[in-house]
Amino acid sequence: MYTKQHTIKAPVTVEGVGIHTGANSKMIFLPADVNHGFKFQRVDIEGQPIVDCDVDNVVDVSRGTTIEQDGARVNTVEHVLAALVGLQIDNVLIQIDGPEPPIMEGSSIKFVEALMEVGVEEQSMLRNFFEVPEGVFYKEDDRKVEIAALPLNDYRLTVMVDYNSPVLGSQHAALNDIADFASEVASSRTFCFLHEVEALRKANLIKGGNFNNAIVVVDQVVSKDTLDELADLFELPSVEVAEEGILNNVKLRHPNEPARHKLLDMVGDLALVGRPIKGQILAARPGHAANVAFARKLKSLMLKSARKNVPTYDIHQPPVYDVNKIEEMLPHRYPFRLVDKITEITDKYVIGVKNVTINEEFFTGHFPSNPVMPGVLQIEAMGQTGGILVLNSVDNPENYWTYFVGVEECKFRKMVVPGDTLVIKCELIQPIRRGIAKMKGQAYVGEKLVTEAIMTASLVKKDN
């Protein structure tokens, strides 16, 4: 999986008819800045409102997932979102001049091909993964739906479908590497059963559906009169049933294409959690309603975890700033430089790491028989980490000094000893004004908060 965020290199356009609304639309994928996420923009509506791809904005799950924000609605978003997640793209603005993305040929492949045509590019920020911390379970007894998410340092999905149909039977599909989405899952098309077609039409759905963008499964004997009615309905000369029970002799792209499409839908629906996921997803008989309910459960857990405000540190991920880059920014040198790497930085916060070893100079006197990192040096480590955040706000940081001018509400909650790794987060409390920055600093060892303080720094040009 990519470790840094990605967007696309250039705009790219697709157009076609929406499967449920029957409305033609043109959709433009546009590059976006870091931490932008996925957003639709209804350019056909006055004010061109934005619709965030967020599970809290889901308003309908009738044969597709529909989102709405401030009165602007976008129907059937799952195939588009699946393409973006499958290509590990994080930041895109999707402009659309109608109520629904084009169905294309019923899968995500045309979106994948368009996005791959312009290519993706790496951005400077690390991806903000939601790492499933514990087993998460969802169940609907009446429909025999079960979904689970388990901790895993990767993103894998396994789906089982069983419609008690002699044509489909029980099917499984798995995606063990998100990099395989484009080749193994993206081309799997949407499907429905013949007996559902009339009901969907009466429900004012599938206005844009036809045999070029959906698989219709026939699991019962069909009379010639019924086939003639279907031909009239879809404005075709004739309709036939293939030996394997697929209407109009449509050839399956995979023996388990319906199961793969259900997996595709799940990838798209779970994108509405709002962050790339690390976890193992197992699903039996999923659908849009269950997917969205499960996505809400994951987001609730994600927000609960975020409220703990514990910064994470993955030793396998490359730092944003290593020791050499930090040396260019800070004037501190051995033995007084107390930050080893920066793992994440935005315009509002920074996360730094200090590895505490027995070889630190201060342990020779503090205390030889009971080595404990001095609290004032923990504050200094937070100060240096916060100094990098402040210096990052100017174009030429090498021309500035940062001086700390105030420390308030300082608390030392736990001893820091050799072998500990301090993970430090400094976050601006208010915007930097006239070179004055006020921030909250917190230092953790594992999930334990060991030190915290409110710090004020002054940014001063060196020639002053």
Side-chain angles (χ1 to χ4, degrees):
M1 297 178 74
Y2 292 156
T3 58
K4 289 191 175 181
Q5 296 181 28
H6 284 70
T7 188
I8 52 177
K9 292 181 178 179
V12 63
T13 302
V14 295
E15 49 189 314
V17 64
I19 189 170
H20 291 308
T21 63
N24 284 295
S25 66
K26 180 168 72 173
M27 193 166 67
I28 306 174
F29 295 92
L30 296 164
D33 291 335
V34 295
N35 297 327
H36 177 277
F38 306 141
K39 302 176 189 290
F40 282 91
Q41 184 177 29
R42 285 288 302 273
V43 295
D44 58 317
I45 297 177
E46 184 178 355
Q48 300 189 350
I50 297 288
V51 184
D52 293 324
C53 294
D54 190 303
V55 70
D56 293 338
N57 288 334
V58 174
V59 293
D60 191 9
V61 287
S62 301
R63 306 298 296 208
T65 302
T66 298
I67 56 177
E68 182 177 320
Q69 184 174 338
D70 298 328
R73 179 175 290 213
V74 184
N75 297 272
T76 325
V77 299
E78 62 273 10
H79 296 179
V80 175
L81 297 181
L84 294 169
V85 173
L87 293 177
Q88 302 184 70
I89 296 169
D90 303 278
N91 304 301
V92 167
L93 175 65
I94 309 157
Q95 293 183 335
I96 186 169
D97 65 359
E100 184 179 25
I103 188 61
M104 311 307 285
E105 41 70 83
S107 72
S108 292
I109 193 64
K110 295 300 180 184
F111 304 132
V112 167
E113 289 172 352
L115 293 164
M116 291 177 69
E117 182 181 334
V118 295
V120 300
E121 67 179 8
E122 185 177 275
Q123 297 175 288
S124 60
M125 193 70 63
L126 290 174
R127 304 181 82 191
N128 185 21
F129 288 104
F130 169 55
E131 301 185 28
V132 177
E134 59 195 34
V136 183
F137 304 95
Y138 176 84
K139 191 174 184 180
E140 292 180 19
D141 290 329
D142 56 334
R143 294 195 290 179
K144 298 182 179 179
V145 174
E146 293 184 74
I147 307 176
L150 304 174
L152 182 72
N153 188 31
D154 203 346
Y155 191 31
R156 298 177 188 169
L157 301 96
T158 301
V159 168
M160 184 277 286
V161 295
D162 184 0
Y163 294 96
N164 295 318
S165 163
V167 177
L168 292 186
S170 179
Q171 295 189 355
H172 295 75
L175 182 63
N176 293 320
D177 187 339
I178 195 67
D180 293 334
F181 177 87
S183 60
E184 298 296 325
V185 177
S187 64
S188 299
R189 294 159 295 179
T190 192
F191 68 97
C192 69
F193 289 91
L194 179 60
H195 66 265
E196 297 176 299
V197 171
E198 185 177 358
L200 289 168
R201 282 283 189 172
K202 287 181 177 179
N204 214 27
L205 296 171
I206 64 167
K207 292 180 179 179
N210 59 53
F211 302 127
N212 294 320
N213 56 35
I215 299 168
V216 180
V217 180
V218 182
D219 56 352
Q220 59 191 25
V221 177
V222 183
S223 67
K224 186 177 185 308
D225 289 343
T226 300
L227 293 177
D228 290 341
E229 290 174 9
L230 287 168
D232 291 339
L233 182 63
F234 290 103
E235 299 178 355
L236 294 171
S238 64
V239 172
E240 299 175 349
V241 180
E243 183 178 345
E244 63 270 25
I246 305 298
L247 204 61
N248 221 37
N249 296 336
V250 173
K251 299 297 183 183
L252 294 180
R253 293 171 176 171
H254 309 278
N256 63 340
E257 186 170 355
R260 294 189 192 212
H261 185 80
K262 283 295 184 180
L263 192 153
L264 182 157
D265 280 344
M266 174 159 270
V267 170
D269 287 335
L270 292 187
L272 297 168
V273 170
R275 286 162 56 184
I277 296 170
K278 280 189 176 181
Q280 170 78 63
I281 310 296
L282 306 169
R285 304 173 189 87
H288 293 296
N291 293 348
V292 168
F294 189 66
R296 287 195 170 107
K297 201 164 187 176
L298 289 179
K299 183 178 179 183
S300 176
L301 179 61
M302 181 179 76
L303 294 177
K304 182 180 178 182
S305 300
R307 280 193 291 272
K308 293 181 181 177
N309 204 34
V310 179
T312 58
Y313 167 49
D314 186 345
I315 61 172
H316 301 293
Q317 303 300 336
V320 177
Y321 296 160
D322 61 12
V323 289
N324 298 312
K325 179 63 176 178
I326 292 171
E327 187 167 303
E328 293 174 8
M329 298 185 73
L330 293 180
H332 307 76
R333 296 294 182 265
Y334 176 84
F336 219 68
R337 197 170 76 203
L338 298 174
V339 56
D340 296 323
K341 64 176 75 172
I342 298 298
T343 62
E344 192 171 344
I345 189 165
T346 72
D347 58 346
K348 295 181 180 178
Y349 71 88
V350 62
I351 296 176
V353 175
K354 165 61 181 170
N355 295 301
V356 182
T357 78
I358 191 61
N359 297 317
E360 309 285 355
E361 290 265 329
F362 48 78
F363 283 135
T364 59
H366 198 278
F367 305 101
S369 60
N370 180 28
V372 176
M373 184 176 184
V376 291
L377 294 185
Q378 295 174 45
I379 294 294
E380 176 64 23
M382 289 199 300
Q384 292 181 21
T385 303
I388 292 172
L389 173 63
V390 176
L391 290 167
N392 196 60
S393 68
V394 294
D395 293 332
N396 47 347
E398 68 279 0
N399 293 333
Y400 289 85
W401 301 101
T402 52
Y403 294 103
F404 273 82
V405 296
V407 178
E408 309 165 58
E409 301 178 29
C410 179
K411 294 182 177 69
F412 303 108
R413 299 186 176 276
K414 187 177 180 295
M415 288 189 296
V416 177
V417 298
D420 284 343
T421 297
L422 279 178
V423 181
I424 301 164
K425 181 174 183 180
C426 294
E427 186 169 10
L428 291 175
I429 296 174
Q430 58 196 32
I432 299 173
R433 294 191 180 94
R434 297 181 180 178
I436 300 296
K438 194 166 189 177
M439 67 192 81
K440 181 176 183 178
Q442 294 177 308
Y444 291 82
V445 174
E447 293 189 353
K448 298 288 187 181
L449 178 65
V450 295
T451 307
E452 61 181 332
I454 304 296
M455 303 177 293
T456 305
S458 176
L459 191 63
V460 177
K461 207 164 188 177
K462 287 185 176 179
D463 57 14
N464 292 336

